Amino acid sequence: MKSYKRIIFIFLAFVFVKGILSLFVVTPTIYSDEYMYSKLAQSLATSFHYDVHNIPQNAYPPLYPLFLAPAYFFFTDMTLIYFLMKFINAFLSTLIIIPAYFLSREFIGSQESRNIAILVGFLPLSFSFTPYLMAENLFYTLALFAIYFIYKSELTSSTRYYALAGVFIGAAFLTKALGIVLCILVGLLFIKNVLKKEKVHWKKKFITAGIISLMLFPWILRNLLVFGFSFSSILGRAYTSELGNTTRQTLFSNLWNGALWSVIYIDILIFASGILFSLGFIRFMKQKNKNEQEQTFFLITLLFMFILLFIAVNHNLHGGFKEDNLLNLTGRPIARYTDVLLPLLIIGGYLGLQKQNLDKWKLPLSTKILLLLFLAIGSNLLFFPLLPVNNLSISFLGVVQLFLQFLGASLLITSLLFSLGIVFFTWFILSYLFKKYNLNTILIISLFGFLLLSLLNVSIVAYNSQKNWYSLEQVQLGKWVQNNIKPDKTLAFDEDGCTSRSVQDPLSICSPAKQTTLAGFWIYNDITIAKNPEMDTDYFISRKELPYIKVHTTESNINVYQVS
């Protein structure tokens, strides 16, 4: 009981600290995802529809907006609502320490499991995502809960674990389409059971599948009724394009880029785990005396890694060629696709480091050569932007990259210096850290390392929001509307002003798809986008000169008209 009380205290401390730090982020910076999630949450809260600007949506699964929706129950001031949404994020993302604790507890003692849970809580995937209105805040937590119950269902015949696995897999899928990786994982484990002629609990497997199906059915039915019968109606238009990625380049290009990106994403996992826990996972992988629990955990982690790598690599196959890198890669690195694996690497790495005397461990020559080859290929990461939000877990590389470029180093020199630095750091871990300190001390050092990285990320997004976003003309326009127009009035943006999705285009006031507007985030009022004011429109926002009462004009002549 004392252990659980401590976990609750740790949980509340994390939520409080993350909530306070999020106050320094004064405006969203991920346009247009944060806008879409916030407006979908408002739509659910105020009308229980799932639309933005009265346009039905299916590209964003509904569970995360549903969790944000309560922020709109109590206030109409978007400043307060924005803070509440970030506080909800702090709560949802911190919940990940609970499955991290229970999964660790399967192998190690209570105190060590709490330490692992705290370390996972400081990972950027949990700590640094709070200021962003992004589904990862919920998805990472649900995914780790699902992994824990999948693990338990593989080891026991208890019906509750099969049922809970189904609940959390379904919930993860309703949060991000990436949740499909959990369905694939369960399918592969089932195939393994059949091929190895292990006992298969058919009825309980059907319970898992049935619960997933029941949870997804309302969402799929709604999409079919609204958008018609098609594959994009089920998964959403944003995700069905992924299926055709491998047909957009030549076979050689797909094989070349697929192999290289597979290595690079493994490098990303190595760097994101601080190298230390990846080395520990290598030890865990090579251990021959694993018990049943460890073998099951290792298999789940390995299968989960392969599935995630396949999806992440496939996403990169549709990008254009980036000519200024050494390997002529397509696409770009997106670490947040694979960050969900990091808690498992931390736990597996800890188990590997725990099993043997660290001061006597040496990497075999073949492993050293393979590791150096992987790291050399990984140096191509330095040819890509590595700052938040897509690469929170390796943003320290982005800072190093910017610093070296500030000193005048070319991208080639930067990547070479990076490779030398990583080799030195790996040597330092193996030759000095393992020999001088025990595992508990190394764990504390790692904890502070992840904390510093997470604080770096929060500082970057806070600076970005205050320096580059808050002062934007259209953000200030939205704040003016919030402060001067009653929330029960209706607004429309001029459709002719929807010329670009980019916030770098100062002439555009909304996106061509009529789904986002930079000013609109701060506007609680019902928003539509139309060519002319409708009969029930109270205010109209346009760059045109129109025969209505002009109540506000921005510096670049965006006009707010009172229509009725």
Side-chain angles (χ1 to χ4, degrees):
M1 185 61 70
K2 286 184 178 180
S3 181
Y4 294 157
K5 288 181 179 179
R6 289 173 181 171
I7 286 292
I8 293 173
F9 174 78
I10 293 168
F11 172 81
L12 294 175
F14 266 115
V15 172
F16 176 77
V17 171
K18 289 159 70 174
I20 294 299
L21 289 175
S22 70
L23 288 173
F24 294 97
V25 180
V26 295
T27 189
T29 58
I30 306 303
Y31 186 76
S32 58
D33 284 351
E34 292 189 85
Y35 184 89
M36 295 295 290
Y37 280 124
S38 65
K39 290 304 180 184
L40 287 170
Q42 182 177 4
S43 178
L44 287 169
T46 56
S47 64
F48 209 68
H49 292 163
Y50 201 68
D51 55 41
V52 174
H53 305 158
N54 295 323
I55 302 172
Q57 303 293 323
N58 72 341
Y60 295 83
L63 193 58
Y64 177 61
L66 190 63
F67 273 96
L68 293 181
Y72 288 89
F73 290 167
F74 308 105
F75 304 102
T76 58
D77 187 324
M78 280 303 302
T79 302
L80 292 173
I81 291 171
Y82 182 43
F83 169 72
L84 279 178
M85 288 192 289
K86 290 185 290 184
F87 188 83
I88 291 170
N89 276 351
F91 182 88
L92 296 175
S93 60
T94 305
L95 283 172
I96 197 172
I97 71 172
I98 295 175
Y101 172 80
F102 282 111
L103 191 53
S104 302
R105 194 71 180 85
E106 294 288 312
F107 314 103
I108 53 181
S110 178
Q111 176 62 51
E112 293 172 295
S113 297
R114 281 199 304 274
N115 293 339
I116 292 295
I118 293 171
L119 197 150
V120 169
F122 279 127
L123 289 175
L125 67 91
S126 171
F127 199 94
S128 303
F129 254 107
T130 297
Y132 297 104
L133 303 182
M134 301 278 282
E136 279 79 1
N137 285 286
L138 177 59
F139 177 74
Y140 292 147
T141 294
L142 293 175
L144 194 57
F145 266 114
I147 290 292
Y148 172 68
F149 289 119
I150 290 170
Y151 163 83
K152 294 293 287 186
S153 66
E154 283 293 302
L155 290 173
T156 70
S157 59
S158 176
T159 303
R160 63 176 176 171
Y161 292 128
Y162 286 89
L164 287 169
V167 168
F168 282 98
I169 292 171
F173 201 103
L174 288 172
T175 302
K176 283 184 71 69
L178 187 60
I180 196 172
V181 299
L182 296 164
C183 300
I184 298 172
L185 174 62
V186 170
L188 292 178
L189 289 171
F190 172 73
I191 293 172
K192 185 267 299 184
N193 293 336
V194 172
L195 292 178
K196 296 186 70 173
K197 298 181 180 179
E198 298 171 345
K199 183 177 181 180
V200 178
H201 300 282
W202 291 95
K203 291 182 179 179
K204 293 170 183 178
K205 295 284 187 184
F206 280 122
I207 289 174
T208 301
I211 290 175
I212 296 171
S213 301
L214 286 173
M215 291 182 68
L216 296 181
F217 178 74
W219 172 241
I220 293 173
L221 179 62
R222 176 262 181 190
N223 288 340
L224 292 175
L225 292 175
V226 173
F227 297 101
F229 189 83
S230 67
F231 200 71
S232 64
S233 298
I234 299 173
L235 282 183
R237 293 183 298 275
Y239 295 99
T240 51
S241 61
E242 299 289 324
L243 298 176
N245 285 349
T246 56
T247 64
R248 303 182 190 183
Q249 306 290 347
T250 64
L251 177 61
F252 175 79
S253 174
N254 285 327
L255 292 175
W256 171 255
N257 279 279
L260 292 176
W261 276 116
S262 296
V263 173
I264 290 173
Y265 271 108
I266 292 173
D267 285 323
I268 288 174
L269 290 170
I270 292 173
F271 302 144
S273 67
I275 299 179
L276 172 68
F277 289 98
S278 291
L279 292 174
F281 192 81
I282 292 173
R283 294 183 75 185
F284 180 60
M285 179 173 61
K286 290 188 173 183
Q287 289 169 13
K288 298 180 180 179
N289 58 341
K290 299 186 189 73
N291 57 36
E292 183 183 6
Q293 289 88 346
E294 291 171 341
Q295 288 176 345
T296 302
F297 172 77
F298 172 71
L299 177 63
I300 289 174
T301 302
L302 206 60
L303 289 175
F304 197 42
M305 181 189 299
F306 285 143
I307 300 166
L308 284 169
L309 288 177
F310 177 81
I311 290 179
V313 169
N314 180 63
H315 177 79
N316 278 24
L317 295 180
H318 80 279
F321 286 96
K322 186 171 174 60
E323 297 178 356
D324 61 351
N325 67 81
L326 299 176
L327 301 175
N328 201 28
L329 294 167
T330 58
R332 56 176 178 155
I334 303 180
R336 63 187 172 101
Y337 286 174
T338 53
D339 279 352
V340 65
L341 186 68
L342 288 178
L344 302 182
L345 282 182
I346 297 295
I347 296 171
Y350 185 85
L351 294 177
L353 296 174
Q354 183 194 47
K355 289 289 184 179
Q356 304 173 21
N357 296 326
L358 294 178
D359 58 344
K360 297 181 180 179
W361 182 47
K362 293 184 179 179
L363 282 176
L365 179 61
S366 59
T367 304
K368 288 181 180 178
I369 294 173
L370 185 63
L371 187 60
L372 288 174
L373 177 61
F374 271 48
L375 294 176
I377 296 174
S379 66
N380 280 267
L381 282 169
L382 273 295
F383 288 88
F384 297 88
L386 296 176
L387 295 177
V389 63
N390 283 330
N391 295 293
L392 284 169
S393 59
I394 55 171
S395 62
F396 65 94
L397 297 180
V399 173
V400 171
Q401 176 191 56
L402 290 177
F403 177 72
L404 291 175
Q405 289 178 3
F406 175 78
L407 295 178
S410 66
L411 287 174
L412 178 60
I413 297 299
T414 298
S415 64
L416 291 174
L417 291 174
F418 163 76
S419 298
L420 291 174
I422 292 297
V423 169
F424 173 78
F425 187 68
T426 305
W427 170 84
F428 172 78
I429 291 175
L430 293 172
S431 303
Y432 180 77
L433 201 63
F434 284 170
K435 295 182 183 299
K436 189 173 180 62
Y437 299 105
N438 59 33
L439 183 55
N440 288 332
T441 304
I442 291 174
L443 194 65
I444 293 172
I445 294 172
S446 301
L447 188 150
F448 277 105
F450 286 125
L451 172 60
L452 290 174
L453 176 58
S454 290
L455 290 176
L456 172 67
N457 287 325
V458 174
S459 300
I460 291 173
V461 66
Y463 176 83
N464 188 30
S465 71
Q466 295 177 24
K467 181 72 174 178
N468 300 323
W469 285 81
Y470 190 73
S471 60
L472 289 176
E473 180 186 47
Q474 294 188 43
V475 172
Q476 292 304 309
L477 172 61
K479 300 289 283 187
W480 183 91
V481 171
Q482 174 188 246
N483 295 328
N484 293 275
I485 296 178
K486 294 180 180 180
D488 59 343
K489 302 297 183 180
T490 58
L491 282 87
F493 282 77
D494 186 355
E495 184 178 335
D496 290 338
C498 299
T499 58
S500 174
R501 184 184 177 188
S502 173
V503 296
Q504 305 302 323
D505 182 358
L507 297 179
S508 178
I509 61 173
C510 45
S511 65
K514 300 189 291 185
Q515 294 181 339
T516 58
T517 166
L518 191 57
F521 178 84
W522 296 104
I523 300 174
Y524 181 87
N525 310 65
D526 183 31
I527 295 174
T528 57
I529 296 179
K531 285 187 174 295
N532 298 292
E534 302 294 337
M535 291 295 294
D536 58 348
T537 300
D538 297 309
Y539 292 87
F540 191 65
I541 298 176
S542 173
R543 289 190 178 277
K544 300 174 183 175
E545 291 295 327
L546 299 171
Y548 304 111
I549 301 172
K550 189 183 296 185
V551 295
H552 182 69
T553 301
T554 67
E555 290 183 2
S556 68
N557 295 317
I558 302 176
N559 303 308
V560 181
Y561 295 99
Q562 183 177 347
V563 178
S564 61

